[in-house]
Amino acid sequence: MNTNVKIYGDGANIDDMVKLSQEGIVDGLTTNPTLMAKAGITNYLDFARDVLKQITKTPISFEVFSDELDEMYTQAKILDNLGKNVYVKIPVTNTKSISTAPIVKKLSDEGV
């Protein structure tokens, strides 16, 4: 049985992320604002750029951190432009339970 399972490393420690990428243990990497906050990261964009200086081929997902829909869209476009191996995560709803489906559709239509 072929399940096509892929393993992603989840975290916000650059050294660990680079190690996982270099060792080929994972198919990709992912992080999110909560993990970054726990790791003491205060500049999300600088963190993403620093990661991508060292990880250029392994797929990596970064999540927008805004709760405002228009800002989510803007952040998604910025993240998408950081590298060809970048995938953008958008939460299904914001903290006010407002659906992000229209933003996800628009970004998807734009190839993000």
Side-chain angles (χ1 to χ4, degrees):
M1 180 169 99
N2 185 357
T3 60
N4 294 318
V5 173
K6 292 189 176 191
I7 306 296
Y8 279 72
D10 193 13
N13 178 291
I14 292 178
D15 293 336
D16 291 344
M17 295 169 84
V18 169
K19 181 178 177 184
L20 288 172
S21 176
Q22 289 175 340
E23 292 179 354
I25 295 171
V26 296
D27 297 297
L29 300 160
T30 185
T31 190
N32 63 56
T34 301
L35 291 173
M36 286 187 256
K38 286 180 182 177
I41 296 163
T42 57
N43 189 314
Y44 183 73
L45 195 53
D46 284 347
F47 172 78
R49 287 184 178 125
D50 289 344
V51 168
L52 292 167
K53 285 178 188 172
Q54 299 180 64
I55 301 172
T56 59
K57 294 189 182 350
T58 303
I60 183 163
S61 299
F62 292 105
E63 184 175 333
V64 298
F65 58 88
S66 179
D67 198 46
E68 299 302 321
L69 302 183
D70 290 340
E71 183 66 21
M72 283 183 187
Y73 174 83
T74 300
Q75 289 175 5
K77 296 295 280 190
I78 291 168
L79 291 171
D80 181 56
N81 285 317
L82 293 178
K84 291 183 180 187
N85 60 324
V86 172
Y87 293 83
V88 178
K89 297 189 293 186
I90 308 282
V92 175
T93 63
N94 68 1
T95 61
K96 300 169 192 146
S97 297
I98 298 171
S99 172
T100 61
I103 293 169
V104 172
K105 177 162 182 8
K106 182 177 180 181
L107 289 165
S108 179
D109 290 346
E110 294 173 2
V112 176

